[in-house]
Amino acid sequence: QLQKDLEEVKELLTSTTRKRVRDVLTAEKHKLELEIKNQPPPKPKDVAEEEKSSLGGYTVKINNYGWDQSDKFVKIYISLNGVQKLPAENVQVNFTERSFDLLVKNLNGKNYTMTFNNLLKPISVEGSSRKIKTDMVLVMCKKKREEKWDCLTQVEKESKEKEKAAYDTADPSEGLMNILKKMYAEGDDEMKRTINKAWVESREKQYKGDIPMDI
């Protein structure tokens, strides 16, 4: 488009005789030439198409995973159907001492990402890696120290500690109530029915004098 504008300005310059008009057109010509010069060179069609296909579709955040550990590694298992069919460079993992992020490009027209920040303990960036298996990516985080991890991240640890503090009360019946309330709040309809039934039955027994303690 810019090239067409430039050609038109050049044509006008050849036909005009008035100095003021020539000055305006000359200034516009220089401006267009500069814009054209500063444009990035067009990519070859095959490269542009390849980039488009490798990053095509939309990005999906992965939330489901499994993990376990050995003395030397923390292993995170991420299920992705057909991932083994991708070129190896489409599955990328970047590690830092306390985090990693996974990017899987162009799997069935979508990109998949997963990020773990604030890992519970430091890992060795050089010793960590990823393996592509059938319908699965295995992320291997090399432990800096050979010790057991109670969970994957610092956030999970703090969350567990808060829950434990809430249940470690002086009154055991209050601790039980907290657990029941949490189960009821997070449970499905079946769980809610079960807890309601148990609650009604315990109340009936209490009224009959079978359970002296109020739970």
Side-chain angles (χ1 to χ4, degrees):
Q1 193 67 40
L2 287 172
Q3 192 64 43
K4 285 182 181 177
D5 290 346
L6 181 61
E7 285 167 12
E8 197 165 312
V9 168
K10 284 179 178 176
E11 273 185 43
L12 289 168
L13 267 170
T14 58
S15 60
T16 187
T17 56
R18 298 178 65 82
K19 182 178 183 303
R20 190 170 175 184
V21 175
R22 281 185 68 84
D23 288 346
V24 171
L25 288 172
T26 302
E28 187 62 26
K29 174 174 168 281
H30 288 320
K31 184 181 166 189
L32 285 167
E33 285 172 344
L34 192 62
E35 279 188 53
I36 291 168
K37 185 181 175 184
N38 290 333
Q39 272 191 321
K43 291 180 181 176
K45 190 175 178 185
D46 56 343
V47 173
E49 288 298 316
E50 187 182 324
E51 282 190 8
K52 187 178 175 184
S53 67
S54 69
L55 291 170
Y58 58 93
T59 298
V60 179
K61 191 173 180 181
I62 303 167
N63 293 312
N64 295 324
Y65 63 91
W67 75 285
D68 66 10
Q69 60 185 309
S70 63
D71 289 340
K72 294 183 178 180
F73 287 93
V74 170
K75 306 169 189 175
I76 297 93
Y77 301 88
I78 300 116
S79 295
L80 288 168
N81 286 336
V83 70
Q84 73 278 6
K85 296 173 187 173
L86 290 176
E89 61 269 19
N90 279 32
V91 182
Q92 302 168 0
V93 184
N94 293 314
F95 297 95
T96 74
E97 193 175 70
R98 293 297 286 269
S99 73
F100 73 83
D101 61 85
L102 165 72
L103 171 63
V104 178
K105 294 193 289 186
N106 197 28
L107 176 58
N108 302 321
K110 299 174 189 174
N111 305 313
Y112 291 84
T113 65
M114 170 179 263
T115 301
F116 273 91
N117 293 315
N118 298 314
L119 290 171
L120 186 65
K121 298 177 188 294
I123 61 172
S124 163
V125 175
E126 299 78 19
S128 299
S129 61
R130 62 103 177 97
K131 293 182 180 177
I132 302 169
K133 298 178 174 286
T134 304
D135 298 333
M136 181 184 289
V137 177
L138 170 59
V139 179
M140 308 271 291
C141 296
K142 175 81 182 297
K143 296 177 180 178
K144 276 209 165 180
R145 293 174 61 185
E146 293 185 17
E147 55 187 329
K148 186 183 175 189
W149 289 25
D150 296 324
C151 47
L152 271 179
T153 65
Q154 193 66 33
V155 174
E156 282 179 59
K157 182 186 177 187
E158 288 168 8
S159 176
K160 283 184 179 180
E161 285 172 352
K162 282 179 187 172
E163 282 186 20
K164 187 173 183 295
Y167 298 144
D168 287 351
T169 59
D171 183 349
S173 66
E174 190 181 333
L176 176 61
M177 281 301 301
N178 283 337
I179 293 169
L180 285 173
K181 283 176 187 173
K182 186 173 189 296
M183 287 171 66
Y184 189 88
E186 296 178 357
D188 55 17
D189 291 342
E190 186 64 34
M191 175 66 77
K192 286 182 168 72
R193 279 196 291 272
T194 303
I195 292 172
N196 279 331
K197 186 181 175 191
W199 178 256
V200 170
E201 287 176 357
S202 72
R203 281 292 180 184
E204 286 174 355
K205 286 181 183 176
Q206 183 186 330
Y207 291 141
K208 291 175 185 175
D210 295 342
I211 302 177
M213 184 177 73
D214 182 6
I215 66 164

